[in-house]
């Protein structure tokens, strides 16, 4: 990097942490790597920044330095590094612009997580949050129900939690930031990264009258009202017996509702019933489908028996019988092969000198093939004829099985098989 004498404002005191609603900032570029790294990114250091470097469970911000796109921002000790695909001139004043929609979404989910965890840690639940994850569409807190053997909230309690938090959102309780200098004598929180050394500021986030404060480097909303709303989604088991509770806050609630309404309208058109009848209607369809599948399987078995009987008749007059059906699949071929085995039409008997070739699938897409023969020698002979005339790969001993890319040439191969001398 080519540095200048101006130093960076350290992480903990950068503009985006002090003014989380700022969307742009004039500052100066103090260093930029001379060449891109192996992934094609230049490493840019600014004096100050409105772009948040990933930390505290909150993803990094994206945006622009003038007209140069910033793809990632990371913390290295107390430094903040911006990743671009173009170099940024060192020593010049720049305008840093934030992707506000992405940031505000992160602020809603992160601040919401603080509120959700605070409520669950208090009376009457007393359930601690071990970790959390801010996902692209939904987030979760991991409740320590494993080693700590904490009880998990019931479905009814989760409804109460959701209702209570949505009331707290209406109350617009302020989020307050408290800071302390980070030095050797500072009582450091357990969550502080090991490489956050050499000074800087430790930040604590309080939700007035709700949560006394937790160490956190993230950007947060002004008050709970900016969370808009909460929807608890579902729970799932995690490592060590813990439980993950999934949630969405703010715009994500609206986006999820929009997506659900689109699906509901589509189902309404397909099923011709209102939303409240979807489950009943789909249940009936599932029952009908299961019944139809059983009927189809029975009929397939009967057809396979008729075909096998026809193959048996043909084997009395010739050594090799081939069957190709465009409307069949592997399951149907298996039924025929089992019936052939049960009738012992091509037993493992070299003196019998018989073979059956079964193929299925539409001509332009190909499909499965099974070859049954009374000896390995006859099996290899039939397989060789097939592989020379078709675009197919396969193998096997005692039973040859393959898959063709298409059935171009199948008619000619069948003629060759009919005339094959074994």
């Amino acid at each position: 990097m080519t540095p200048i004498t101006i130093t960076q404002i350290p992480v903990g005191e950068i503009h985006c942490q002090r003014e989380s609603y700022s969307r742009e900032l004039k500052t100066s570029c103090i260093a930029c790597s001379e060449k891109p790294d192996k992934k094609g990114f230049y490493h840019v250091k600014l004096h100050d920044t409105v772009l948040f470097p990933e930390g505290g469970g909150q993803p990094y911000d994206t945006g622009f330095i003038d007209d140069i796109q910033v793809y990632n921002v990371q913390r290295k000790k107390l430094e903040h590094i911006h990743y671009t695909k173009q170099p940024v001139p060192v020593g010049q004043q720049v305008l840093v612009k934030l992707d506000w929609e992405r940031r505000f979404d992160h602020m809603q989910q992160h601040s919401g997580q603080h509120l959700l965890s605070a409520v669950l840690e208090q009376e009457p639940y007393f359930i601690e949050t071990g970790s959390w994850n801010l996902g692209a569409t939904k987030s979760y807190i991991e409740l320590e129900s494993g080693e700590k053997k904490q009880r998990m909230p019931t479905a009814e309690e989760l409804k109460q939690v959701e209702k209570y938090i949505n009331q707290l959102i209406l109350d617009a309780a302020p989020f307050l930031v408290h800071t302390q200098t980070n030095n050797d004598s500072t009582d450091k929180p357990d969550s502080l990264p090991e490489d956050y050394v050499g000074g800087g500021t430790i930040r604590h986030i309080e939700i007035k009258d709700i949560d006394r404060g937790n160490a956190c480097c993230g950007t947060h909303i002004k008050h709970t009202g900016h969370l808009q709303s909460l929807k608890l989604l579902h729970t799932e088991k995690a490592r060590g017996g813990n439980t993950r509770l999934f949630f969405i806050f703010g715009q994500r609630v609206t986006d999820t509702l929009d997506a659900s309404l689109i699906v509901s309208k589509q189902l309404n058109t397909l099923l011709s019933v209102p939303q409240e009848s979807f489950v009943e209607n789909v249940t009936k369809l599932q029952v009908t489908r299961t019944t139809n599948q059983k009927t189809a399987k029975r009929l397939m078995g009967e057809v396979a028996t008729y075909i096998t009987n026809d193959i048996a008749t043909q084997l009395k007059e010739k050594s090799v019988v081939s069957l190709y059906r465009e409307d069949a699949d592997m399951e149907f071929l298996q039924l025929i092969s089992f019936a052939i085995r049960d009738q012992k039409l091509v037993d493992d008997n070299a003196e019998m000198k018989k073979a059956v070739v079964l193929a299925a699938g539409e001509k332009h897409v190909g499909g499965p093939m099974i070859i049954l023969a009374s000896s390995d020698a006859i099996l290899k002979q039939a397989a060789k004829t097939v592989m020379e005339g078709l675009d197919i790969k396969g193998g096997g001993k005692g039973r040859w099985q393959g898959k063709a890319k298409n059935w171009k040439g199948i008619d000619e191969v069948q003629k060759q098989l009919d005339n094959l001398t074994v």
Side-chain angles (χ1 to χ4, degrees), residues 47-60:
H47 171 59
D48 200 354
T49 186
V50 74
L51 304 183
F52 178 72
E54 182 173 7
Q58 182 173 324
Y60 56 82

Side-chain angles (χ1 to χ4, degrees), residues 8-20 25 46-53 73 78-80 82 203 217:
Q8 269 198 334
I9 292 178
V11 173
E13 302 169 20
I14 52 180
H15 189 79
C16 62
Q17 293 173 304
R18 290 182 285 110
E19 301 290 341
S20 60
L25 175 72
L46 304 178
H47 171 59
D48 200 354
T49 186
V50 74
L51 304 183
F52 178 72
V73 189
L78 299 182
E79 296 180 334
H80 37 98
H82 302 68
R203 304 167 62 82
C217 65

Side-chain angles (χ1 to χ4, degrees), residues 100-343:
W100 172 248
E101 186 175 331
R102 173 183 168 91
R103 156 72 79 73
F104 191 62
D105 170 58
H106 292 168
M107 287 168 60
Q108 286 186 316
Q109 309 317 310
H110 194 171
S111 299
Q113 176 267 315
H114 276 245
L115 179 59
L116 175 58
S117 293
V119 168
L120 285 172
E121 287 173 4
Q122 297 171 14
E123 188 180 0
Y125 310 109
F126 302 110
I127 302 172
E128 295 180 14
T129 295
S131 61
W132 84 292
N133 175 268
L134 200 167
T137 57
K138 58 185 178 181
S139 305
Y140 67 79
I141 55 174
E142 189 159 316
L143 305 175
E144 297 186 328
S145 55
E147 290 184 5
K148 292 193 175 182
K149 297 186 181 346
Q150 297 182 120
R151 74 173 188 86
M152 285 299 96
T154 64
E156 183 58 37
E157 285 177 324
L158 289 178
K159 286 182 181 180
Q160 294 171 5
V161 168
E162 180 179 285
K163 184 177 181 180
Y164 178 56
I165 289 178
N166 279 312
Q167 180 58 54
L168 294 176
I169 289 173
L170 292 176
D171 294 342
F175 273 72
L176 306 173
V177 179
H178 307 284
T179 61
Q180 65 179 120
T181 302
N182 180 34
N183 54 47
D184 293 340
S185 62
T186 303
D187 184 15
K188 297 178 174 59
D190 294 336
S191 59
L192 191 71
E194 292 182 2
D195 66 341
Y196 193 77
V197 294
T201 298
I202 300 173
R203 304 167 62 82
H204 295 265
I205 308 301
E206 175 190 354
I207 310 174
K208 189 176 172 120
D209 299 327
I210 299 171
D211 187 23
R212 67 184 184 279
N214 289 286
C216 182
C217 65
T219 58
H220 289 277
I221 57 175
K222 292 179 180 178
H223 55 73
T224 57
H226 284 184
L227 292 174
Q228 295 178 285
S229 60
L230 160 70
K231 183 60 190 173
L232 298 179
L233 301 176
H234 60 274
T235 61
E236 68 177 33
K237 288 297 181 182
R239 64 187 184 280
N242 289 348
T243 299
R244 289 175 179 171
L245 173 59
F246 288 81
F247 65 87
I248 48 176
F249 277 95
Q251 185 60 39
R252 292 193 182 191
V253 177
T254 303
D255 292 343
T256 300
L257 178 58
D258 285 343
S260 296
L261 286 173
I262 290 172
V263 173
S264 178
K265 288 178 181 178
Q266 292 172 336
L267 287 173
N268 176 263
T269 301
L270 291 170
L271 300 174
S272 299
V273 295
Q275 181 176 330
E276 55 269 21
S277 300
F278 285 169
V279 174
E280 178 185 359
N281 195 268
V282 171
T283 300
K284 289 179 180 178
L285 289 174
Q286 287 178 323
V287 171
T288 301
R289 181 188 176 191
T290 300
T291 302
N292 290 341
Q293 285 177 331
K294 290 180 179 179
T295 302
K297 191 170 184 178
R298 176 177 56 79
L299 293 174
M300 281 175 60
E302 292 178 2
V303 172
T305 300
Y306 293 140
I307 290 175
T308 304
N309 291 338
D310 182 59
I311 290 173
T313 301
Q314 293 185 59
L315 284 174
K316 292 177 181 179
E317 299 178 0
K318 54 185 180 179
S319 299
V320 181
V321 175
S322 64
L323 171 73
Y324 165 61
R325 290 188 62 135
E326 286 193 63
D327 60 349
D329 56 15
M330 187 59 174
E331 183 181 2
F332 189 66
L333 297 190
Q334 293 279 28
L335 287 172
I336 297 173
S337 68
F338 294 154
I340 289 173
R341 179 198 60 193
D342 293 342
Q343 293 190 30

Side-chain angles (χ1 to χ4, degrees), residues 368-401:
M369 174 176 278
I370 297 174
I371 303 177
L372 306 170
S374 56
S375 70
D376 285 338
I378 298 173
L379 185 70
K380 290 178 181 178
Q381 193 176 355
K384 181 181 178 183
T385 302
V386 165
M387 296 181 73
E388 287 176 350
L390 298 171
D391 187 2
I392 190 169
K393 291 183 179 180
K397 189 175 181 181
R399 167 192 167 114
W400 191 94
Q401 189 169 311

